[in-house]
Amino acid sequence: MLESIEQQFRATSAGRWFFGREPNERLVIAGLAVLIVITFVWLGVFKPLSDWHMLEENRRHNAQNALDWLHLNEQRAREMVAQQSNTRGGGARIPVITRTARSNGLKLSRLQPESGSTAVNVVLEEQPFNSVLAWLHQLQRNNGVQVVRITVNGEDAPGYVNAQVKLQ
């Protein structure tokens, strides 16, 4: 089989050129040809395969580290998620605030969660002062909602006020 390949190669112009050289020159040319073929195989097959393997091994290692960290901190992460879902943007506080205001006979003019925090801004207009104080006390004592800032202005009617309250 090698002989038939050699015969076919001798019939080509490259074969005639090659076999027209001295035996030492043919040995050098054959050595260079083998070196070039090995270089192309290395650059075209083995190097990309090796690089891909290293990249995937690195990704696997990083994923394993993340999984190990997650297993170690799973309970803490669950607690943090539960805590955030209860306080995200004041969203969980809004039903408590409106329900307690209604039970104290107050009408909220505006209720606005503060973006990026757990605070909620509340505006009350023409509401009884004693009811506002009772409501704020109830929020703090029963629901753990703290008053961060409050501004109270008197109203023309005695005992009635306008208030702006920031709750957290």
Side-chain angles (χ1 to χ4, degrees):
M1 183 169 142
L2 287 176
E3 288 179 18
S4 75
I5 293 174
E6 183 181 337
Q7 291 300 325
Q8 290 175 353
F9 181 63
R10 280 182 188 264
T12 65
S13 62
R16 286 190 299 271
W17 176 84
F18 178 74
F19 286 108
R21 301 282 168 223
E22 294 292 322
N24 290 341
E25 289 178 344
R26 282 189 290 195
L27 188 60
V28 170
I29 293 170
L32 286 174
V34 168
L35 186 61
I36 289 171
V37 168
I38 289 173
T39 301
F40 279 123
V41 168
W42 171 255
L43 291 175
V45 176
F46 291 113
K47 180 72 170 127
L49 206 58
S50 174
D51 291 347
W52 174 81
H53 176 71
M54 288 178 63
L55 179 67
E56 291 303 314
E57 184 64 27
N58 192 19
R59 284 183 183 166
R60 186 199 63 78
H61 180 72
N62 290 343
Q64 185 64 46
N65 285 344
L67 182 63
D68 291 344
W69 180 88
L70 188 59
H71 284 302
L72 288 173
N73 296 298
E74 179 180 12
Q75 185 59 35
R76 184 168 177 247
R78 288 183 190 278
E79 290 169 1
M80 288 174 64
V81 166
Q83 181 182 13
Q84 285 178 352
S85 68
N86 288 338
T87 60
R88 186 174 294 135
R93 297 187 195 284
I94 292 175
V96 170
I97 292 168
T98 56
R99 185 180 67 248
T100 56
R102 197 176 326 114
S103 71
N104 282 287
L106 296 174
K107 181 179 178 228
L108 304 178
S109 299
R110 188 176 66 199
L111 185 74
Q112 181 177 3
E114 208 170 85
S115 63
S117 78
T118 60
V120 177
N121 293 311
V122 180
V123 175
L124 300 110
E125 294 177 349
E126 300 177 9
Q127 299 298 311
F129 179 71
N130 289 339
S131 297
V132 171
L133 287 182
W135 171 63
L136 293 173
H137 179 70
Q138 181 183 1
L139 280 174
Q140 184 174 0
R141 187 186 64 212
N142 298 340
N143 304 100
V145 176
Q146 299 294 319
V147 175
V148 176
R149 182 185 68 238
I150 185 169
T151 303
V152 179
N153 296 321
E155 195 49 38
D156 289 338
Y160 283 82
V161 295
N162 295 330
Q164 294 178 347
V165 185
K166 182 177 182 180
L167 301 168
Q168 189 167 6

